[in-house]
Amino acid sequence: MNEHFEKKVSGSVIRLHPDDNIVIAVKDIRAGDTIPSENITSLHLIAAGHKIATARIAQGEPIRKYSTTIGFAGVDIEPGSSVHYHNVVFRDIDRDYAYATEYEPTDLLPESERATFQGIVRDDGRVATRNFIGICSTVNCSATVVRKIAEWFTPERLSDYPNVDGVVAFSHPLGCGCEMTGEAMDQLRRTIAGYATHVNLAATLIIGLGCERNKISDLVEIHNLAVGPKLQTFIMQDVGGTRKSIEAGVKAVKELLPEANNVTRQTVSVSHLTVGLECGGSDGFSSITANPALGSAVGILVRHGGTAILSETPEVYGAEHTLTRRAASVEVGKKLIERIRWWKDVYAVGRDVQINGVVSPGNVDGGLANILEKSLGSAMKGGTGPLMEVYKYAEKVDTKGLVFMDTPGYDPPSVTGQIAGGATLIAFTTGRGSMFGSKPAPTIKLATNSPMFQRLEEDMDINCGEILDGTKTLEEMGQAIFELMIETASGKKSKSELLGLGDNEFAIWDIGIMG
């Protein structure tokens, strides 16, 4: 039996904390089934991953999971009852941020003892995990052109260049009909610049229409992009239109391929690895298996000098105090709260979004009642180490260790921000079974439970449900995830790569308005 759950798993349920007034069903529980460990009888059908009351919870009293309040009883709840969104009231609760009071520096391993992977070392010393040529659009008006250029380079046409992972287009619906200045435009340009200069791209073409608000010249100047052989720009109106722009792009990529192919992987320290942390399609087991297991892997990565990017601001809301207390400084902790307050007071006012309590239908089906409960698990992806810095969306991550980036909870734009910030690998936990992949940084997917893993094994890279099954401890699973990170960073194809995912998942977070 898994030691982590030796005193918690009892037949059909898991008790997460002695002070909880709920337990979690390990498997479907029928109405009338007895649960001897809790001395209760189920009054309803309780689906696997869902909560069942172990004591009478009077209306208005807190519902406790991991000894943390996740909501309040909307009605009197009797022992053996299902505890879910239908009888759980979401209400904001006071939290003591206690900035930096629990900060402890990471105990870094000596460089001679750090793990290594087989990476691609660029001329500037940065280390890549993949080797693509990228085609970026500045505006939706050039989206077709960048896609047509990338599509020309089929596997057959790239067969003479085995060290090139592909030619990939990054198109989007933005770039014009919006504010000329301000955070929305800044964020758009940050994201494009982050991809154009990403270490996993051997070279990049940036293509614009010519009359858009997001002009190439402004993008280049603001972000000090070094235009040259490895970063070329094309303006469709100057080149001669759609067909000529596609021809010019194809010609440019053909000329870039020989040098892009001229790379070899070499042994480098894991300290060069930056991993974006994501969760999608969460369920009642996310906080029990995959998320804490990924947190364990992050602890190992950070001790070896690597970097992990925790994100999804709405999905740490309610658990943010666990991060502010571990912040490296008061200033770092306050940066996180400033981003949460922007969401609460500006961005999400009056909208039925996660930070205001409403989680997705898939989360509800998986057993999560509201965002407070979801955030408890989501924040676990970052482990228990110190929070070293907080970044806005798509800002360049230049601090080692665990950092936070402000992103939405929606997976494609969240991961897009992480990659723009420098992530060279994505670790993605899922309980419902998200079908996701990314380029130019690959995604590995971590399943929270064995039934889903077995059903969707073609899409899932590792089964964290083994923790629940008792065949692996949490620590063993964390080590397995860390080893998978190293293998994938060294060139092993992830399941999503084998399926060809990643060409359509580039999605910039749009916070602007059309006009």
Side-chain angles (χ1 to χ4, degrees):
M1 175 61 71
N2 178 346
E3 290 180 0
H4 185 67
F5 290 105
E6 188 171 9
K7 297 180 181 178
K8 299 176 181 179
V9 177
S10 300
S12 58
V13 299
I14 305 170
R15 172 164 283 280
L16 300 173
H17 193 279
D19 295 337
D20 289 352
N21 49 16
I22 58 96
V23 290
I24 310 298
V26 177
K27 56 187 178 182
D28 291 351
I29 299 173
R30 297 169 300 179
D33 284 356
T34 60
I35 304 172
S37 62
E38 301 295 333
N39 196 29
I40 59 174
T41 299
S42 176
L43 302 180
H44 315 284
L45 172 65
I46 310 292
H50 287 237
K51 300 173 290 297
I52 182 169
T54 58
R56 189 175 190 274
I57 309 173
Q59 184 177 9
E61 287 186 348
I63 294 163
R64 297 188 303 275
K65 181 179 181 181
Y66 285 107
S67 193
T68 299
T69 297
I70 61 167
F72 300 86
V75 296
D76 292 342
I77 301 175
E78 299 302 325
S81 295
S82 168
V83 179
H84 203 24
Y85 72 95
H86 66 286
N87 56 10
V88 177
V89 175
F90 171 81
R91 192 162 72 227
D92 206 355
I93 56 177
D94 291 331
R95 290 174 284 278
D96 181 5
Y97 296 135
Y99 297 111
T101 56
E102 298 176 11
Y103 168 70
E104 292 183 10
T106 298
D107 183 17
L108 290 168
L109 290 171
E111 289 194 19
S112 61
E113 297 179 19
R114 294 180 185 177
T116 60
F117 72 100
Q118 297 302 302
I120 300 166
V121 181
R122 300 299 188 191
D123 292 341
D124 59 5
R126 296 184 300 157
V127 178
T129 63
R130 293 294 184 269
N131 191 42
F132 285 93
I133 292 176
I135 323 290
C136 299
S137 67
T138 60
V139 65
N140 182 252
C141 305
S142 57
T144 296
V145 165
V146 300
R147 286 193 171 275
K148 292 290 186 181
I149 294 169
E151 288 169 1
W152 194 91
F153 292 92
T154 61
E156 293 75 21
R157 285 170 170 158
L158 290 174
S159 59
D160 290 336
Y161 308 99
N163 297 326
V164 177
D165 290 300
V167 179
V168 57
F170 301 112
S171 62
H172 57 88
L174 308 176
C176 204
C178 58
E179 294 174 285
M180 288 283 287
T181 59
E183 182 57 27
M185 182 62 81
D186 291 345
Q187 189 160 288
L188 169 63
R189 287 173 176 154
R190 270 202 309 273
T191 308
I192 296 172
Y195 269 70
T197 59
H198 197 279
V199 66
N200 282 3
L201 297 184
T204 306
L205 310 184
I206 302 177
I207 300 178
L209 176 63
C211 56
E212 65 270 25
R213 292 193 164 201
N214 181 30
K215 294 172 60 179
I216 286 181
S217 57
D218 291 339
L219 174 68
V220 167
E221 179 182 357
I222 290 168
H223 287 277
N224 298 312
L225 300 182
V227 176
K230 293 186 179 181
L231 201 163
Q232 301 179 34
T233 63
F234 295 82
I235 296 174
M236 292 168 59
Q237 291 169 348
D238 293 344
V239 172
T242 300
R243 181 181 58 81
K244 290 183 179 179
S245 296
I246 294 169
E247 290 175 350
V250 168
K251 180 176 182 292
V253 173
K254 285 180 178 179
E255 293 171 353
L256 289 166
L257 280 169
E259 186 175 354
N261 188 62
N262 187 28
V263 297
T264 56
R265 290 184 178 268
Q266 54 188 283
T267 302
V268 294
S269 170
V270 166
S271 61
H272 291 286
L273 190 58
T274 299
V275 180
L277 314 176
E278 188 69 17
C279 59
S282 299
D283 69 353
F285 298 126
S286 294
S287 67
I288 299 168
T289 61
N291 287 351
L294 179 54
S296 177
V298 166
I300 301 171
L301 173 69
V302 169
R303 285 199 66 212
H304 285 260
T307 302
I309 308 172
L310 182 65
S311 297
E312 302 176 284
T313 307
E315 297 183 12
V316 299
Y317 175 64
E320 70 271 22
H321 58 290
T322 66
L323 295 168
T324 58
R325 294 176 182 189
R326 290 149 42 202
S329 67
V330 172
E331 290 72 24
V332 169
K334 286 185 175 180
K335 281 185 182 180
L336 176 60
I337 301 309
E338 186 276 329
R339 297 318 302 161
I340 288 175
R341 286 178 177 158
W342 176 80
W343 273 82
K344 291 287 290 180
D345 300 339
V346 180
Y347 186 60
V349 173
R351 294 171 175 163
D352 57 346
V353 293
Q354 286 196 123
I355 204 162
N356 292 332
V358 181
V359 293
S360 72
N363 294 157
V364 172
D365 291 344
L368 301 176
N370 56 42
I371 192 56
L372 297 180
E373 183 176 11
K374 186 175 184 180
S375 293
L376 265 180
S378 182
M380 291 178 181
K381 299 193 302 294
T384 58
L387 176 67
M388 301 306 297
E389 188 55 277
V390 173
Y391 295 91
K392 288 185 177 181
Y393 185 84
E395 283 186 333
K396 189 66 66 180
V397 172
D398 53 7
T399 301
K400 295 288 187 180
L402 175 67
V403 302
F404 185 86
M405 178 180 285
D406 179 20
T407 75
Y410 181 37
D411 307 321
S414 180
V415 170
T416 296
Q418 293 174 336
I419 294 175
T424 51
L425 178 69
I426 303 298
F428 190 123
T429 67
T430 180
R432 305 293 293 171
S434 292
M435 313 303 162
F436 181 85
S438 53
K439 293 179 181 178
T443 289
I444 56 174
K445 297 218 277 310
L446 319 176
T448 71
N449 63 88
S450 295
M452 185 272 284
F453 176 82
Q454 291 158 5
R455 189 172 66 253
L456 302 175
E457 191 168 353
E458 226 179 39
D459 284 86
M460 301 295 129
D461 293 275
I462 198 164
N463 179 21
C464 296
E466 288 193 65
I467 297 171
L468 206 60
D469 301 338
T471 55
K472 271 193 172 67
T473 66
L474 186 67
E475 293 72 22
E476 288 170 343
M477 186 58 68
Q479 182 65 35
I481 294 170
F482 178 65
E483 291 173 3
L484 179 61
M485 288 177 179
I486 291 174
E487 292 172 4
T488 308
S490 298
K492 177 184 177 181
K493 297 291 186 183
S494 69
K495 293 290 185 68
S496 63
E497 288 181 289
L498 294 172
L499 289 167
L501 293 165
D503 289 314
N504 300 296
E505 286 76 8
F506 174 75
I508 301 173
W509 181 20
D510 181 14
I511 60 171
I513 59 171
M514 296 293 180

